[in-house]
Amino acid sequence: MSQVVGTGCALAISCFVSYAAITHILTRAYFVSRDDDFLGGMWAVAATVFVYRESYQKSVGAALSRMAATSLSFVLCLVYLLIFPFHAWGMAALIGIGTIALSLLGRSEDIITAGITTAVVMVVAGISPQHAWEQPLLRLVDTLVGVGIGIVTAWISVTIGSKLDLQRSRA
């Protein structure tokens, strides 16, 4: 029971840190709208939740999966948005291209993440069309921060858990 509570608390704290890092610290480095602050915070939290697992090794695996899918999606979206404005057909085409690319690369397990990422980035670009091409770059930063915090939290949790287990075994 204490391990379950510890895991829940660790994830909650890491999500707060991810959100705060993006919405209060990193956004000061460049000008983005308040809406982008909130979206970035949500995106970082989603990445943290996706990556944080019960072991460090599983967290690293989830981080690599998240970054592979996310990177492909962001490249596709950036190229598209540098040339074209948002359109539902464009979004659908990018999801299809991403699916084909990941399948050919033997990473079919990343198709869902890439598809969701593409849909969110493209729809947000449609909502804010003035600087739509910035969305993939901003969301990449948010993802990197969330993934990093998820990995660090997993490492801290494993380290603390190991020390507690060692103390229990000595008692």
Side-chain angles (χ1 to χ4, degrees):
M1 179 67 163
S2 64
Q3 184 178 2
V4 171
V5 171
T7 299
C9 290
L11 183 57
I13 291 167
S14 65
C15 287
F16 174 80
V17 171
S18 291
Y19 185 84
I22 290 298
T23 61
H24 297 296
I25 298 168
L26 294 180
T27 56
R28 304 302 178 244
Y30 52 89
F31 178 76
V32 294
S33 71
R34 181 167 164 78
D35 291 342
D36 272 326
D37 282 352
F38 287 129
L39 180 62
M42 180 207 59
W43 201 263
V45 167
T48 300
V49 170
F50 187 90
V51 166
Y52 181 69
R53 307 289 168 95
E54 65 273 5
S55 77
Y56 181 73
Q57 291 77 15
K58 288 182 180 179
S59 293
V60 169
L64 293 173
S65 175
R66 174 71 185 214
M67 290 312 303
T70 299
S71 296
L72 175 66
S73 173
F74 289 147
V75 168
L76 292 173
C77 291
L78 179 61
V79 170
Y80 178 93
L81 292 169
L82 284 170
I83 302 168
F84 306 108
F86 168 79
H87 193 280
W89 282 111
M91 176 187 65
L94 293 179
I95 291 170
I97 292 167
T99 298
I100 293 166
L102 288 168
S103 294
L104 292 173
L105 293 170
R107 300 210 46 104
S108 58
E109 68 277 4
D110 295 333
I111 290 170
I112 294 168
T113 303
I116 291 168
T117 301
T118 300
V120 172
V121 169
M122 291 297 289
V123 169
V124 171
I127 292 169
S128 302
Q130 303 85 344
H131 303 286
W133 64 270
E134 292 176 352
Q135 289 304 317
L137 301 174
L138 293 172
R139 303 302 69 97
L140 180 60
V141 170
D142 304 333
T143 300
L144 287 170
V145 169
V147 165
I149 290 171
I151 290 290
V152 168
T153 303
W155 180 81
I156 291 169
S157 295
V158 167
T159 302
I160 291 171
S162 296
K163 289 181 181 182
L164 290 175
D165 289 343
L166 184 61
Q167 287 175 352
R168 284 187 204 125
S169 67
R170 289 182 182 169

